[in-house]
Amino acid sequence: MPLIPVSDLRVGHFVLLDLGWMAHPFPRNHFRITSPRQIDTIRGLGLSRVRIDPARSEFDEVQTTETTAASSSSVAAPADAAPDPATEAARARARALADQRRTLALCERQYAEGTRRYRAVLDTLEHDPLAAGEQARNGIDAILTAMDTQGESAIRLLGDVQGERGAQHAMNVTVLSLLLGRAMGLDAAALQSLGVAAFLHDVGKTRLPDIVRFKDEAFTPAQLKAYEEHVAHGVALGRAMGLDATALLAIAQHHEAADGSGFPRGCAGSEMGTASHILALVNRYDGLCNPPNPVRALTPHEALAHLFAMQKARFDPPTLSAFIRMLGVYPPGSIVQLSDGRYAQVHTVNAARPLKPRVLVHDPRVPRSEALLLDLQTTPDLSIQRSLRADQLPRAALDYLEPRPRYYYFFERALRADDATRGDGP
């Protein structure tokens, strides 16, 4: 198949992307381009040339004529014509918006693929546990490869992701655990074991009756005991899947606590492994943000504050400190008020600059679908003043920011200092 410059792509070309499933946001690696937005997305992938299949390319006659006319008009334009500043600014904004949409679409696709992989692992587990274990390890390897490929990672808030709650919880815990493990300096083997344990930490719940699958404050002592048995079931299933000792220990201890108040053994912090400390903390954080009953959900800011102020003794101090440094004071999903009085939602946090996240600002002049994230590190005179609950927002800001009842996290390339100003609005 011939290779052509990405700049020559047009609607109708049948393209074959030589990329892995986590490297682009499209459902398939091969498809016919049907819109200019798809071309913008392909250009945003950083490719210089792309493979096409001429036999499967189909071009609309009207479009071809318009393209030819546009090319002629472009050639006829004076070569020394001065660029119009307003036009250049509009083009720059359009490129930034396309890049922003592409990045979010890629993150959401990767997250959704992870939840589908989780369901596939559970389905395989029923008839071939060893194959299910291999599927889980391959999935973690793919995530770690993506993290390594993009260098420094930022934590990204996703939109309203569709899917099953158990799979979403597994993905949230996996992503945050791996990012925390990297921040704490775990080596490749330890990260792989941590990722597998995080991905499968609740696999034992598949052996529980539906009525006790999710913890409820109204449980009877018998129901609570039945719920707590999911840990033992998980360890047994992990052994059947051929998981290593580090992963099995983390699954066994993901509800333990450093002060001995956890279950099932009530072991002390000195008896817990590093992966266990990470998994216990991240699992608790996601449980506070995304409980079975959304009415009881805390905002990410509230959840982090609760862990530090009310449950600090339950967690390993170095692990908790590293987690707070990674998420920042205002984790993704937090609703905040800026120092100039405007309302915003935190969308991306870079651990290197946690007090200067990227935020979606309520701006009635710009449709939400066309709003660019504002990087606070580019605005030294602007800062976050306070965190808010959604019910504290004025109605217009609430409708614009659209805070979600659940929070979903993935990772993206951290914005570098030299490109931080690109595309950010005032």
mmCIF file of all heavy atoms in Angstrom, residues 61-111:
data_model
loop_
_atom_site.group_PDB
_atom_site.id
_atom_site.type_symbol
_atom_site.label_atom_id
_atom_site.label_comp_id
_atom_site.label_asym_id
_atom_site.label_seq_id
_atom_site.Cartn_x
_atom_site.Cartn_y
_atom_site.Cartn_z
ATOM 1 N N GLU A 61 -17.552 13.498 -6.197
ATOM 2 C CA GLU A 61 -17.200 14.353 -7.336
ATOM 3 C C GLU A 61 -17.276 15.824 -6.963
ATOM 4 O O GLU A 61 -16.429 16.633 -7.332
ATOM 5 C CB GLU A 61 -18.131 14.051 -8.514
ATOM 6 C CG GLU A 61 -17.764 14.821 -9.782
ATOM 7 C CD GLU A 61 -18.637 14.411 -10.957
ATOM 8 O OE1 GLU A 61 -19.320 13.375 -10.863
ATOM 9 O OE2 GLU A 61 -18.629 15.133 -11.951
ATOM 10 N N VAL A 62 -18.316 16.201 -6.204
ATOM 11 C CA VAL A 62 -18.472 17.608 -5.816
ATOM 12 C C VAL A 62 -17.312 18.036 -4.935
ATOM 13 O O VAL A 62 -16.723 19.104 -5.104
ATOM 14 C CB VAL A 62 -19.810 17.803 -5.078
ATOM 15 C CG1 VAL A 62 -19.902 19.225 -4.533
ATOM 16 C CG2 VAL A 62 -20.978 17.503 -6.009
ATOM 17 N N GLN A 63 -16.953 17.155 -4.009
ATOM 18 C CA GLN A 63 -15.857 17.473 -3.097
ATOM 19 C C GLN A 63 -14.548 17.640 -3.866
ATOM 20 O O GLN A 63 -13.762 18.531 -3.589
ATOM 21 C CB GLN A 63 -15.702 16.374 -2.047
ATOM 22 C CG GLN A 63 -14.561 16.630 -1.071
ATOM 23 C CD GLN A 63 -13.734 15.391 -0.832
ATOM 24 O OE1 GLN A 63 -14.217 14.280 -0.984
ATOM 25 N NE2 GLN A 63 -12.490 15.583 -0.459
ATOM 26 N N THR A 64 -14.329 16.751 -4.873
ATOM 27 C CA THR A 64 -13.109 16.836 -5.664
ATOM 28 C C THR A 64 -13.031 18.165 -6.403
ATOM 29 O O THR A 64 -11.991 18.808 -6.461
ATOM 30 C CB THR A 64 -13.058 15.665 -6.672
ATOM 31 O OG1 THR A 64 -13.136 14.433 -5.943
ATOM 32 C CG2 THR A 64 -11.781 15.708 -7.479
ATOM 33 N N THR A 65 -14.162 18.595 -6.949
ATOM 34 C CA THR A 65 -14.209 19.867 -7.670
ATOM 35 C C THR A 65 -13.911 21.029 -6.737
ATOM 36 O O THR A 65 -13.137 21.933 -7.055
ATOM 37 C CB THR A 65 -15.602 20.057 -8.314
ATOM 38 O OG1 THR A 65 -15.853 18.964 -9.182
ATOM 39 C CG2 THR A 65 -15.651 21.364 -9.085
ATOM 40 N N GLU A 66 -14.540 20.974 -5.526
ATOM 41 C CA GLU A 66 -14.317 22.046 -4.567
ATOM 42 C C GLU A 66 -12.870 22.084 -4.115
ATOM 43 O O GLU A 66 -12.281 23.145 -3.949
ATOM 44 C CB GLU A 66 -15.247 21.852 -3.359
ATOM 45 C CG GLU A 66 -16.716 22.092 -3.692
ATOM 46 C CD GLU A 66 -17.614 21.782 -2.498
ATOM 47 O OE1 GLU A 66 -17.108 21.165 -1.540
ATOM 48 O OE2 GLU A 66 -18.787 22.168 -2.533
ATOM 49 N N THR A 67 -12.274 20.901 -3.928
ATOM 50 C CA THR A 67 -10.890 20.844 -3.494
ATOM 51 C C THR A 67 -9.966 21.441 -4.551
ATOM 52 O O THR A 67 -9.043 22.187 -4.247
ATOM 53 C CB THR A 67 -10.481 19.387 -3.206
ATOM 54 O OG1 THR A 67 -11.341 18.859 -2.207
ATOM 55 C CG2 THR A 67 -9.041 19.300 -2.742
ATOM 56 N N THR A 68 -10.243 21.107 -5.833
ATOM 57 C CA THR A 68 -9.445 21.640 -6.930
ATOM 58 C C THR A 68 -9.566 23.151 -7.015
ATOM 59 O O THR A 68 -8.581 23.865 -7.181
ATOM 60 C CB THR A 68 -9.882 21.001 -8.265
ATOM 61 O OG1 THR A 68 -9.756 19.591 -8.149
ATOM 62 C CG2 THR A 68 -9.024 21.521 -9.406
ATOM 63 N N ALA A 69 -10.807 23.648 -6.846
ATOM 64 C CA ALA A 69 -11.035 25.088 -6.899
ATOM 65 C C ALA A 69 -10.317 25.795 -5.761
ATOM 66 O O ALA A 69 -9.718 26.859 -5.930
ATOM 67 C CB ALA A 69 -12.538 25.387 -6.839
ATOM 68 N N ALA A 70 -10.372 25.183 -4.599
ATOM 69 C CA ALA A 70 -9.706 25.780 -3.443
ATOM 70 C C ALA A 70 -8.199 25.835 -3.657
ATOM 71 O O ALA A 70 -7.540 26.806 -3.295
ATOM 72 C CB ALA A 70 -10.026 24.983 -2.177
ATOM 73 N N SER A 71 -7.661 24.750 -4.257
ATOM 74 C CA SER A 71 -6.229 24.713 -4.518
ATOM 75 C C SER A 71 -5.837 25.801 -5.509
ATOM 76 O O SER A 71 -4.826 26.473 -5.348
ATOM 77 C CB SER A 71 -5.810 23.351 -5.060
ATOM 78 O OG SER A 71 -6.108 22.344 -4.124
ATOM 79 N N SER A 72 -6.669 25.992 -6.554
ATOM 80 C CA SER A 72 -6.399 27.010 -7.553
ATOM 81 C C SER A 72 -6.421 28.395 -6.929
ATOM 82 O O SER A 72 -5.586 29.250 -7.208
ATOM 83 C CB SER A 72 -7.426 26.931 -8.684
ATOM 84 O OG SER A 72 -7.369 25.667 -9.305
ATOM 85 N N SER A 73 -7.414 28.620 -6.081
ATOM 86 C CA SER A 73 -7.530 29.903 -5.414
ATOM 87 C C SER A 73 -6.316 30.163 -4.551
ATOM 88 O O SER A 73 -5.792 31.265 -4.471
ATOM 89 C CB SER A 73 -8.795 29.934 -4.547
ATOM 90 O OG SER A 73 -8.860 31.127 -3.797
ATOM 91 N N SER A 74 -5.842 29.108 -3.911
ATOM 92 C CA SER A 74 -4.671 29.245 -3.049
ATOM 93 C C SER A 74 -3.443 29.612 -3.851
ATOM 94 O O SER A 74 -2.638 30.449 -3.450
ATOM 95 C CB SER A 74 -4.429 27.937 -2.286
ATOM 96 O OG SER A 74 -3.260 28.023 -1.526
ATOM 97 N N VAL A 75 -3.296 28.987 -5.014
ATOM 98 C CA VAL A 75 -2.149 29.268 -5.874
ATOM 99 C C VAL A 75 -2.198 30.696 -6.388
ATOM 100 O O VAL A 75 -1.182 31.374 -6.517
ATOM 101 C CB VAL A 75 -2.104 28.276 -7.057
ATOM 102 C CG1 VAL A 75 -1.042 28.693 -8.060
ATOM 103 C CG2 VAL A 75 -1.851 26.868 -6.548
ATOM 104 N N ALA A 76 -3.448 31.195 -6.661
ATOM 105 C CA ALA A 76 -3.607 32.525 -7.220
ATOM 106 C C ALA A 76 -3.335 33.618 -6.199
ATOM 107 O O ALA A 76 -3.107 34.769 -6.561
ATOM 108 C CB ALA A 76 -5.024 32.692 -7.785
ATOM 109 N N ALA A 77 -3.374 33.306 -4.934
ATOM 110 C CA ALA A 77 -3.167 34.312 -3.907
ATOM 111 C C ALA A 77 -1.736 34.824 -3.960
ATOM 112 O O ALA A 77 -0.802 34.079 -4.229
ATOM 113 C CB ALA A 77 -3.453 33.720 -2.530
ATOM 114 N N PRO A 78 -1.531 36.099 -3.727
ATOM 115 C CA PRO A 78 -0.180 36.662 -3.755
ATOM 116 C C PRO A 78 0.714 35.996 -2.727
ATOM 117 O O PRO A 78 0.331 35.822 -1.575
ATOM 118 C CB PRO A 78 -0.409 38.149 -3.406
ATOM 119 C CG PRO A 78 -1.869 38.401 -3.700
ATOM 120 C CD PRO A 78 -2.563 37.113 -3.456
ATOM 121 N N ALA A 79 1.908 35.645 -3.138
ATOM 122 C CA ALA A 79 2.816 34.932 -2.248
ATOM 123 C C ALA A 79 3.274 35.806 -1.101
ATOM 124 O O ALA A 79 3.621 35.319 -0.032
ATOM 125 C CB ALA A 79 4.021 34.433 -3.045
ATOM 126 N N ASP A 80 3.314 37.145 -1.328
ATOM 127 C CA ASP A 80 3.827 38.031 -0.298
ATOM 128 C C ASP A 80 2.717 38.699 0.501
ATOM 129 O O ASP A 80 2.951 39.688 1.194
ATOM 130 C CB ASP A 80 4.726 39.092 -0.937
ATOM 131 C CG ASP A 80 3.985 39.909 -2.006
ATOM 132 O OD1 ASP A 80 2.855 39.508 -2.365
ATOM 133 O OD2 ASP A 80 4.552 40.924 -2.456
ATOM 134 N N ALA A 81 1.461 38.174 0.374
ATOM 135 C CA ALA A 81 0.341 38.772 1.110
ATOM 136 C C ALA A 81 0.570 38.608 2.609
ATOM 137 O O ALA A 81 0.908 37.531 3.084
ATOM 138 C CB ALA A 81 -0.974 38.111 0.703
ATOM 139 N N ALA A 82 0.388 39.684 3.339
ATOM 140 C CA ALA A 82 0.586 39.645 4.793
ATOM 141 C C ALA A 82 -0.537 38.852 5.442
ATOM 142 O O ALA A 82 -1.708 39.038 5.098
ATOM 143 C CB ALA A 82 0.613 41.071 5.342
ATOM 144 N N PRO A 83 -0.205 37.938 6.366
ATOM 145 C CA PRO A 83 -1.248 37.159 7.036
ATOM 146 C C PRO A 83 -2.125 38.053 7.904
ATOM 147 O O PRO A 83 -1.643 38.996 8.540
ATOM 148 C CB PRO A 83 -0.446 36.157 7.879
ATOM 149 C CG PRO A 83 0.881 36.812 8.095
ATOM 150 C CD PRO A 83 1.138 37.599 6.847
ATOM 151 N N ASP A 84 -3.410 37.771 7.886
ATOM 152 C CA ASP A 84 -4.346 38.529 8.699
ATOM 153 C C ASP A 84 -4.265 38.028 10.148
ATOM 154 O O ASP A 84 -4.477 36.836 10.398
ATOM 155 C CB ASP A 84 -5.772 38.333 8.167
ATOM 156 C CG ASP A 84 -6.792 39.025 9.038
ATOM 157 O OD1 ASP A 84 -6.571 40.177 9.414
ATOM 158 O OD2 ASP A 84 -7.802 38.370 9.385
ATOM 159 N N PRO A 85 -3.951 38.890 11.117
ATOM 160 C CA PRO A 85 -3.791 38.443 12.509
ATOM 161 C C PRO A 85 -5.026 37.740 13.051
ATOM 162 O O PRO A 85 -4.914 36.731 13.754
ATOM 163 C CB PRO A 85 -3.518 39.749 13.266
ATOM 164 C CG PRO A 85 -2.935 40.671 12.232
ATOM 165 C CD PRO A 85 -3.641 40.320 10.959
ATOM 166 N N ALA A 86 -6.209 38.262 12.726
ATOM 167 C CA ALA A 86 -7.432 37.645 13.229
ATOM 168 C C ALA A 86 -7.612 36.242 12.660
ATOM 169 O O ALA A 86 -8.010 35.309 13.368
ATOM 170 C CB ALA A 86 -8.642 38.517 12.886
ATOM 171 N N THR A 87 -7.293 36.091 11.363
ATOM 172 C CA THR A 87 -7.414 34.780 10.734
ATOM 173 C C THR A 87 -6.414 33.794 11.336
ATOM 174 O O THR A 87 -6.739 32.635 11.604
ATOM 175 C CB THR A 87 -7.179 34.888 9.220
ATOM 176 O OG1 THR A 87 -8.143 35.782 8.661
ATOM 177 C CG2 THR A 87 -7.301 33.532 8.549
ATOM 178 N N GLU A 88 -5.178 34.259 11.528
ATOM 179 C CA GLU A 88 -4.159 33.396 12.119
ATOM 180 C C GLU A 88 -4.543 32.980 13.533
ATOM 181 O O GLU A 88 -4.335 31.826 13.929
ATOM 182 C CB GLU A 88 -2.803 34.117 12.131
ATOM 183 C CG GLU A 88 -2.175 34.283 10.759
ATOM 184 C CD GLU A 88 -1.933 32.936 10.090
ATOM 185 O OE1 GLU A 88 -1.325 32.063 10.718
ATOM 186 O OE2 GLU A 88 -2.374 32.764 8.941
ATOM 187 N N ALA A 89 -5.105 33.898 14.304
ATOM 188 C CA ALA A 89 -5.524 33.575 15.672
ATOM 189 C C ALA A 89 -6.648 32.551 15.661
ATOM 190 O O ALA A 89 -6.673 31.625 16.481
ATOM 191 C CB ALA A 89 -5.966 34.847 16.394
ATOM 192 N N ALA A 90 -7.577 32.720 14.719
ATOM 193 C CA ALA A 90 -8.686 31.773 14.617
ATOM 194 C C ALA A 90 -8.182 30.387 14.234
ATOM 195 O O ALA A 90 -8.669 29.371 14.756
ATOM 196 C CB ALA A 90 -9.706 32.272 13.589
ATOM 197 N N ARG A 91 -7.209 30.346 13.318
ATOM 198 C CA ARG A 91 -6.655 29.058 12.912
ATOM 199 C C ARG A 91 -5.918 28.390 14.073
ATOM 200 O O ARG A 91 -6.004 27.181 14.272
ATOM 201 C CB ARG A 91 -5.709 29.248 11.727
ATOM 202 C CG ARG A 91 -6.427 29.553 10.412
ATOM 203 C CD ARG A 91 -5.427 29.861 9.316
ATOM 204 N NE ARG A 91 -6.106 30.093 8.034
ATOM 205 C CZ ARG A 91 -5.525 30.597 6.965
ATOM 206 N NH1 ARG A 91 -4.231 30.924 7.018
ATOM 207 N NH2 ARG A 91 -6.204 30.779 5.849
ATOM 208 N N ALA A 92 -5.168 29.188 14.821
ATOM 209 C CA ALA A 92 -4.434 28.635 15.960
ATOM 210 C C ALA A 92 -5.402 28.072 16.999
ATOM 211 O O ALA A 92 -5.159 27.002 17.572
ATOM 212 C CB ALA A 92 -3.554 29.708 16.589
ATOM 213 N N ARG A 93 -6.494 28.795 17.231
ATOM 214 C CA ARG A 93 -7.484 28.321 18.193
ATOM 215 C C ARG A 93 -8.138 27.040 17.694
ATOM 216 O O ARG A 93 -8.364 26.098 18.464
ATOM 217 C CB ARG A 93 -8.553 29.389 18.435
ATOM 218 C CG ARG A 93 -9.639 28.945 19.401
ATOM 219 C CD ARG A 93 -10.678 30.022 19.631
ATOM 220 N NE ARG A 93 -11.753 29.480 20.455
ATOM 221 C CZ ARG A 93 -11.720 29.377 21.772
ATOM 222 N NH1 ARG A 93 -10.663 29.791 22.435
ATOM 223 N NH2 ARG A 93 -12.739 28.867 22.441
ATOM 224 N N ALA A 94 -8.434 26.984 16.390
ATOM 225 C CA ALA A 94 -9.055 25.781 15.819
ATOM 226 C C ALA A 94 -8.126 24.575 15.955
ATOM 227 O O ALA A 94 -8.573 23.471 16.268
ATOM 228 C CB ALA A 94 -9.412 26.021 14.352
ATOM 229 N N ARG A 95 -6.812 24.796 15.721
ATOM 230 C CA ARG A 95 -5.854 23.703 15.869
ATOM 231 C C ARG A 95 -5.776 23.243 17.324
ATOM 232 O O ARG A 95 -5.731 22.042 17.603
ATOM 233 C CB ARG A 95 -4.470 24.143 15.377
ATOM 234 C CG ARG A 95 -4.349 24.267 13.867
ATOM 235 C CD ARG A 95 -2.893 24.373 13.449
ATOM 236 N NE ARG A 95 -2.270 25.576 13.986
ATOM 237 C CZ ARG A 95 -2.241 26.757 13.368
ATOM 238 N NH1 ARG A 95 -2.815 26.893 12.177
ATOM 239 N NH2 ARG A 95 -1.641 27.795 13.921
ATOM 240 N N ALA A 96 -5.767 24.204 18.248
ATOM 241 C CA ALA A 96 -5.700 23.852 19.668
ATOM 242 C C ALA A 96 -6.945 23.098 20.110
ATOM 243 O O ALA A 96 -6.870 22.131 20.879
ATOM 244 C CB ALA A 96 -5.521 25.115 20.509
ATOM 245 N N LEU A 97 -8.104 23.528 19.617
ATOM 246 C CA LEU A 97 -9.347 22.859 19.981
ATOM 247 C C LEU A 97 -9.387 21.448 19.404
ATOM 248 O O LEU A 97 -9.811 20.497 20.090
ATOM 249 C CB LEU A 97 -10.542 23.675 19.465
ATOM 250 C CG LEU A 97 -11.932 23.230 19.939
ATOM 251 C CD1 LEU A 97 -12.025 23.273 21.458
ATOM 252 C CD2 LEU A 97 -13.010 24.108 19.318
ATOM 253 N N ALA A 98 -8.920 21.292 18.169
ATOM 254 C CA ALA A 98 -8.877 19.956 17.564
ATOM 255 C C ALA A 98 -7.927 19.051 18.340
ATOM 256 O O ALA A 98 -8.232 17.866 18.572
ATOM 257 C CB ALA A 98 -8.434 20.058 16.098
ATOM 258 N N ASP A 99 -6.789 19.585 18.764
ATOM 259 C CA ASP A 99 -5.835 18.789 19.535
ATOM 260 C C ASP A 99 -6.428 18.405 20.889
ATOM 261 O O ASP A 99 -6.249 17.275 21.357
ATOM 262 C CB ASP A 99 -4.545 19.585 19.726
ATOM 263 C CG ASP A 99 -3.474 18.780 20.443
ATOM 264 O OD1 ASP A 99 -3.053 17.749 19.899
ATOM 265 O OD2 ASP A 99 -3.076 19.172 21.550
ATOM 266 N N GLN A 100 -7.127 19.335 21.508
ATOM 267 C CA GLN A 100 -7.755 19.061 22.802
ATOM 268 C C GLN A 100 -8.805 17.964 22.675
ATOM 269 O O GLN A 100 -8.882 17.055 23.506
ATOM 270 C CB GLN A 100 -8.391 20.358 23.325
ATOM 271 C CG GLN A 100 -9.090 20.242 24.668
ATOM 272 C CD GLN A 100 -9.539 21.603 25.175
ATOM 273 O OE1 GLN A 100 -8.716 22.443 25.527
ATOM 274 N NE2 GLN A 100 -10.842 21.846 25.194
ATOM 275 N N ARG A 101 -9.625 18.042 21.633
ATOM 276 C CA ARG A 101 -10.645 17.023 21.410
ATOM 277 C C ARG A 101 -10.012 15.671 21.094
ATOM 278 O O ARG A 101 -10.483 14.622 21.552
ATOM 279 C CB ARG A 101 -11.556 17.449 20.259
ATOM 280 C CG ARG A 101 -12.499 18.601 20.609
ATOM 281 C CD ARG A 101 -13.183 19.124 19.370
ATOM 282 N NE ARG A 101 -14.186 20.139 19.689
ATOM 283 C CZ ARG A 101 -14.718 20.953 18.788
ATOM 284 N NH1 ARG A 101 -14.350 20.857 17.509
ATOM 285 N NH2 ARG A 101 -15.627 21.858 19.155
ATOM 286 N N ARG A 102 -8.945 15.701 20.306
ATOM 287 C CA ARG A 102 -8.275 14.448 19.948
ATOM 288 C C ARG A 102 -7.713 13.763 21.189
ATOM 289 O O ARG A 102 -7.861 12.556 21.374
ATOM 290 C CB ARG A 102 -7.142 14.718 18.957
ATOM 291 C CG ARG A 102 -6.351 13.472 18.577
ATOM 292 C CD ARG A 102 -5.048 13.829 17.900
ATOM 293 N NE ARG A 102 -4.131 14.509 18.788
ATOM 294 C CZ ARG A 102 -3.378 13.898 19.693
ATOM 295 N NH1 ARG A 102 -3.430 12.581 19.828
ATOM 296 N NH2 ARG A 102 -2.573 14.588 20.469
ATOM 297 N N THR A 103 -7.072 14.536 22.053
ATOM 298 C CA THR A 103 -6.476 13.970 23.259
ATOM 299 C C THR A 103 -7.540 13.366 24.161
ATOM 300 O O THR A 103 -7.376 12.256 24.689
ATOM 301 C CB THR A 103 -5.689 15.055 24.019
ATOM 302 O OG1 THR A 103 -4.669 15.581 23.172
ATOM 303 C CG2 THR A 103 -5.045 14.485 25.267
ATOM 304 N N LEU A 104 -8.645 14.090 24.352
ATOM 305 C CA LEU A 104 -9.719 13.573 25.202
ATOM 306 C C LEU A 104 -10.323 12.315 24.592
ATOM 307 O O LEU A 104 -10.569 11.330 25.298
ATOM 308 C CB LEU A 104 -10.797 14.634 25.394
ATOM 309 C CG LEU A 104 -12.023 14.201 26.212
ATOM 310 C CD1 LEU A 104 -11.614 13.736 27.602
ATOM 311 C CD2 LEU A 104 -13.040 15.333 26.303
ATOM 312 N N ALA A 105 -10.555 12.330 23.274
ATOM 313 C CA ALA A 105 -11.142 11.158 22.613
ATOM 314 C C ALA A 105 -10.224 9.946 22.749
ATOM 315 O O ALA A 105 -10.693 8.820 22.966
ATOM 316 C CB ALA A 105 -11.399 11.463 21.136
ATOM 317 N N LEU A 106 -8.921 10.165 22.642
ATOM 318 C CA LEU A 106 -7.966 9.067 22.782
ATOM 319 C C LEU A 106 -8.001 8.505 24.201
ATOM 320 O O LEU A 106 -8.047 7.289 24.404
ATOM 321 C CB LEU A 106 -6.566 9.547 22.440
ATOM 322 C CG LEU A 106 -5.427 8.524 22.607
ATOM 323 C CD1 LEU A 106 -5.673 7.300 21.748
ATOM 324 C CD2 LEU A 106 -4.089 9.162 22.269
ATOM 325 N N CYS A 107 -8.002 9.388 25.206
ATOM 326 C CA CYS A 107 -8.060 8.935 26.595
ATOM 327 C C CYS A 107 -9.340 8.146 26.863
ATOM 328 O O CYS A 107 -9.305 7.087 27.504
ATOM 329 C CB CYS A 107 -7.980 10.132 27.547
ATOM 330 S SG CYS A 107 -6.360 10.918 27.650
ATOM 331 N N GLU A 108 -10.466 8.651 26.374
ATOM 332 C CA GLU A 108 -11.741 7.978 26.611
ATOM 333 C C GLU A 108 -11.791 6.630 25.902
ATOM 334 O O GLU A 108 -12.335 5.656 26.427
ATOM 335 C CB GLU A 108 -12.893 8.873 26.175
ATOM 336 C CG GLU A 108 -13.065 10.088 27.088
ATOM 337 C CD GLU A 108 -14.200 10.992 26.655
ATOM 338 O OE1 GLU A 108 -14.618 10.918 25.468
ATOM 339 O OE2 GLU A 108 -14.666 11.794 27.494
ATOM 340 N N ARG A 109 -11.201 6.555 24.706
ATOM 341 C CA ARG A 109 -11.187 5.277 23.984
ATOM 342 C C ARG A 109 -10.320 4.263 24.720
ATOM 343 O O ARG A 109 -10.685 3.086 24.850
ATOM 344 C CB ARG A 109 -10.661 5.487 22.565
ATOM 345 C CG ARG A 109 -10.569 4.180 21.764
ATOM 346 C CD ARG A 109 -10.033 4.422 20.370
ATOM 347 N NE ARG A 109 -9.912 3.159 19.659
ATOM 348 C CZ ARG A 109 -8.875 2.340 19.729
ATOM 349 N NH1 ARG A 109 -7.858 2.641 20.503
ATOM 350 N NH2 ARG A 109 -8.856 1.211 19.053
ATOM 351 N N GLN A 110 -9.170 4.690 25.203
ATOM 352 C CA GLN A 110 -8.283 3.779 25.914
ATOM 353 C C GLN A 110 -8.929 3.291 27.214
ATOM 354 O O GLN A 110 -8.804 2.123 27.583
ATOM 355 C CB GLN A 110 -6.954 4.482 26.199
ATOM 356 C CG GLN A 110 -6.147 4.759 24.942
ATOM 357 C CD GLN A 110 -4.942 5.647 25.207
ATOM 358 O OE1 GLN A 110 -4.907 6.382 26.191
ATOM 359 N NE2 GLN A 110 -3.957 5.586 24.338
ATOM 360 N N TYR A 111 -9.598 4.208 27.897
ATOM 361 C CA TYR A 111 -10.286 3.833 29.138
ATOM 362 C C TYR A 111 -11.383 2.810 28.846
ATOM 363 O O TYR A 111 -11.508 1.789 29.535
ATOM 364 C CB TYR A 111 -10.879 5.088 29.775
ATOM 365 C CG TYR A 111 -11.509 4.871 31.136
ATOM 366 C CD1 TYR A 111 -10.795 5.103 32.302
ATOM 367 C CD2 TYR A 111 -12.836 4.459 31.254
ATOM 368 C CE1 TYR A 111 -11.377 4.923 33.553
ATOM 369 C CE2 TYR A 111 -13.424 4.270 32.495
ATOM 370 C CZ TYR A 111 -12.688 4.512 33.641
ATOM 371 O OH TYR A 111 -13.274 4.316 34.877
#
